[in-house]
Amino acid sequence: MKSPALQPLSMAGLQLMTPASSPMGPFFGLPWQQEAIHDNIYTPRKYQVELLEAALDHNTIVCLNTGSGKTFIAVLLTKELSYQIRGDFNRNGKRTVFLVNSANQVAQQVSAVRTHSDLKVGEYSNLEVSASWTKEKWNQEFTKHQVLVMTCYVALNVLKNGYLSLSDINLLVFDECHLAILDHPYREIMKLCENCPSCPRILGLTASILNGKCDPEELEEKIQKLEKILKSNAETATDLVVLDRYTSQPCEIVVDCGPFTDRSGLYERLLMELEEALNFINDCNISVHSKERDSTLISKQILSDCRAVLVVLGPWCADKVAGMMVRELQKYIKHEQEELHRKFLLFTDTFLRKIHALCEEHFSPASLDLKFVTPKVIKLLEILRKYKPYERQQFESVEWYNNRNQDNYVSWSDSEDDEEDEEIEEKEKPETNFPSPFTNILCGIIFVERRYTAVVLNR
């Protein structure tokens, strides 16, 4: 019986439901919930066929972007060679082994093989459990399953203990094969192949053939090193334009926000003050021995960060970050024993209070004044506002909601007793989770260069 609330659509034998009519709510139909669509019918693309043919001919390292279907190529190769693994293991039948770097990747590979083939797949991710298995237990597993997906640590244990011989394997697939460059179980497994007269076919999969940074002149040498370790040839699609058409390509939009114009003159005044303070610290001729701390280091870092926030986010944010920095400085000053270090910290503390005083002449720090933030911040708020579908409930005021977090409070007092009282209050204060007044379906990341930028944007 079909529920009258559902509106099924028949498409080539598939039963799909319209999101609005689903009892699962209006968000049913998002990509991770569309489980009704069959995913075991998959036509290989031209570049996948090209790399499959290479892998059938010789040991191959497949170098393709993330999301381009490297695992599918491995499954296609497994199916092409499946005539070697369908036989009885105890009667010279072979087995295909998929190797992954971590336990959480095992299920993903198992799912891919089961989806695109009829082969029997065994999964082995727990080294502690499998290490206690006897040879008879492993033999049962090899008899029961034709494809074995295991972490490299489990595989190395199996091969070293002689439970499975390399001559019993027809295909060895290395996921994230670039790890073999390092001191890694992949490399140890390949060392076992050196003494094996009948080494299995090797297939390496990687999205980044270089494990780390590399100068252009070293590129060829590093690729050749990986090829030598895996006894394979590195291959990619010959038609990279076609490859780009199918791989995960983000929709990139560059938004020109324009320059910040502050008619009040506050921005120029703060920038001038910060640059003068930084120049003063840089001009201080203080000799620093190799074993000594630099007396000016903390001051330089704090003032540079404050200047960066001013330039990128505007005066309102610079005032907020100055308040946070004063709280940090008060802790440094309290515990600093060296007189010179303490003087520079006090200088920076006084200067940040001056920044705050200048800002107070133009706006109230308690509420956000959009005249004193950069166009970049305003544009970001406009973009995020689109993800605010409706308000669930009204709180006392917008100002109350904006200032609901206790850490928005900044003590501008010099008293260490106030700070100690504040720390006691923080310890005693139970954690309160305020519900957001908005139902929000946004899932996004905002990347910033400095941690203070992230903290102030959050405010």
Side-chain angles (χ1 to χ4, degrees):
M1 288 289 289
K2 292 177 184 174
S3 168
L6 300 181
Q7 300 172 16
L9 302 176
S10 179
M11 291 176 60
L14 301 181
Q15 293 293 320
L16 302 180
M17 301 170 191
T18 56
S21 61
S22 169
M24 295 180 72
F27 301 127
F28 174 77
L30 293 172
W32 56 87
Q33 292 172 321
Q34 294 174 344
E35 295 177 353
I37 299 173
H38 291 300
D39 56 0
N40 58 346
I41 301 169
Y42 197 105
T43 303
R45 294 163 186 147
K46 187 178 176 182
Y47 68 87
Q48 290 175 320
V49 173
E50 175 191 359
L51 291 167
L52 170 63
E53 289 173 353
L56 282 166
D57 183 65
H58 54 262
N59 291 348
T60 304
I61 299 169
V62 173
C63 311
L64 290 175
N65 295 345
T66 302
S68 57
K70 295 185 293 294
T71 302
F72 186 60
I73 295 171
V75 176
L76 290 175
L77 181 61
T78 303
K79 289 170 74 175
E80 287 290 327
L81 302 176
S82 63
Y83 66 92
Q84 299 172 349
I85 60 176
R86 292 187 185 274
D88 187 343
F89 179 72
N90 295 313
R91 295 183 179 179
N92 299 323
K94 292 182 180 285
R95 292 294 174 258
T96 292
V97 178
F98 271 69
L99 301 179
V100 296
N101 183 47
S102 59
N104 57 1
Q105 295 170 305
V106 170
Q108 184 183 339
Q109 302 293 334
V110 168
S111 175
V113 179
R114 285 177 179 163
T115 298
H116 299 293
S117 77
D118 63 341
L119 297 167
K120 294 170 184 174
V121 189
E123 51 187 299
Y124 313 93
S125 57
N126 193 321
L127 178 60
E128 290 182 10
V129 172
S130 59
S132 62
W133 289 1
T134 61
K135 187 167 185 175
E136 288 72 26
K137 169 63 177 171
W138 275 114
N139 198 65
Q140 289 173 13
E141 294 295 316
F142 303 147
T143 304
K144 193 168 28 174
H145 303 113
Q146 297 154 333
V147 178
L148 314 167
V149 182
M150 52 181 68
T151 64
C152 50
Y153 304 99
V154 173
L156 187 61
N157 179 60
V158 167
L159 292 168
K160 279 189 170 180
N161 284 303
Y163 300 143
L164 183 67
S165 169
L166 284 167
S167 58
D168 295 327
I169 301 171
N170 76 322
L171 172 63
L172 200 52
V173 181
F174 292 84
D175 189 35
E176 296 182 286
C177 66
H178 56 272
L179 296 170
I181 285 280
L182 307 171
D183 183 15
H184 190 272
Y186 281 173
R187 196 162 188 171
E188 291 189 54
I189 289 168
M190 285 309 302
K191 283 179 181 175
L192 296 175
C193 288
E194 291 175 6
N195 302 319
C196 179
S198 55
C199 195
R201 175 58 48 89
I202 305 293
L203 179 66
L205 308 175
T206 182
S208 55
I209 195 164
L210 300 172
N211 192 37
K213 294 180 181 178
C214 172
D215 293 328
E217 57 269 18
E218 298 173 357
L219 177 61
E220 187 177 1
E221 182 188 341
K222 292 210 170 186
I223 293 173
Q224 286 174 352
K225 184 179 179 183
L226 182 62
E227 287 181 324
K228 186 178 179 182
I229 291 169
L230 292 175
K231 304 181 186 299
S232 306
N233 294 339
E235 308 260 358
T236 191
T238 52
D239 192 342
L240 296 176
V241 176
V242 172
L243 178 62
D244 281 343
R245 195 183 305 156
Y246 291 112
T247 52
S248 303
Q249 294 297 320
C251 173
E252 296 180 345
I253 300 170
V254 178
V255 180
D256 183 3
C257 302
F260 176 49
T261 53
D262 178 14
R263 293 176 184 174
S264 70
L266 177 63
Y267 173 82
E268 286 77 11
R269 175 71 189 277
L270 295 178
L271 189 60
M272 182 188 72
E273 293 282 354
L274 281 161
E275 287 179 346
E276 284 183 2
L278 280 165
N279 289 336
F280 168 74
I281 292 175
N282 287 325
D283 288 343
C284 290
N285 188 15
I286 300 168
S287 59
V288 180
H289 298 290
S290 58
K291 293 182 180 179
E292 291 180 0
R293 287 184 296 145
D294 183 355
S295 304
T296 64
L297 184 64
I298 294 173
S299 298
K300 284 178 185 174
Q301 187 63 56
I302 283 178
L303 294 177
S304 296
D305 283 339
C306 191
R307 185 189 182 282
V309 170
L310 173 66
V311 171
V312 176
L313 305 179
W316 188 88
C317 297
D319 177 58
K320 284 287 180 188
V321 85
M324 287 183 270
M325 289 169 170
V326 163
R327 288 184 66 175
E328 285 193 28
L329 276 169
Q330 286 170 359
K331 292 172 185 175
Y332 279 120
I333 293 166
K334 182 179 176 181
H335 298 104
E336 184 55 65
Q337 302 296 321
E338 294 274 344
E339 185 60 28
L340 187 59
H341 289 62
R342 188 180 174 84
K343 283 181 179 178
F344 275 106
L345 293 175
L346 286 167
F347 164 79
T348 310
D349 179 81
T350 304
F351 180 80
L352 291 173
R353 292 170 189 276
K354 181 180 179 181
I355 293 290
H356 174 64
L358 289 169
C359 290
E360 272 193 320
E361 293 175 8
H362 291 81
F363 57 80
S364 168
S367 58
L368 174 60
D369 190 336
L370 292 178
K371 294 196 299 292
F372 294 100
V373 296
T374 57
K376 187 186 282 189
V377 177
I378 293 170
K379 188 64 186 176
L380 176 62
L381 293 173
E382 288 173 2
I383 292 167
L384 294 176
R385 195 172 288 123
K386 293 176 184 176
Y387 293 91
K388 190 184 82 171
Y390 59 88
E391 295 192 19
R392 259 200 295 223
Q393 64 190 90
Q394 291 293 333
F395 287 98
E396 295 170 24
S397 68
V398 173
E399 187 178 340
W400 178 88
Y401 179 74
N402 286 339
N403 297 295
R404 69 197 186 284
N405 293 322
Q406 289 297 318
D407 60 355
N408 278 357
Y409 170 74
V410 175
S411 170
W412 295 95
S413 167
D414 286 312
S415 169
E416 291 184 356
D417 294 336
D418 286 355
E419 187 191 337
E420 285 171 7
D421 291 343
E422 185 187 322
E423 285 179 0
I424 292 166
E425 283 175 16
E426 282 180 1
K427 287 175 185 174
E428 292 174 352
K429 180 181 67 180
E431 249 185 66
T432 307
N433 293 319
F434 289 91
S436 168
F438 311 121
T439 298
N440 197 326
I441 58 168
L442 170 67
C443 179
I445 303 174
I446 300 170
F447 290 103
V448 296
E449 288 186 12
R450 298 173 184 242
R451 68 185 184 97
Y452 278 116
T453 310
V455 176
V456 177
L457 273 180
N458 185 43
R459 299 286 166 87

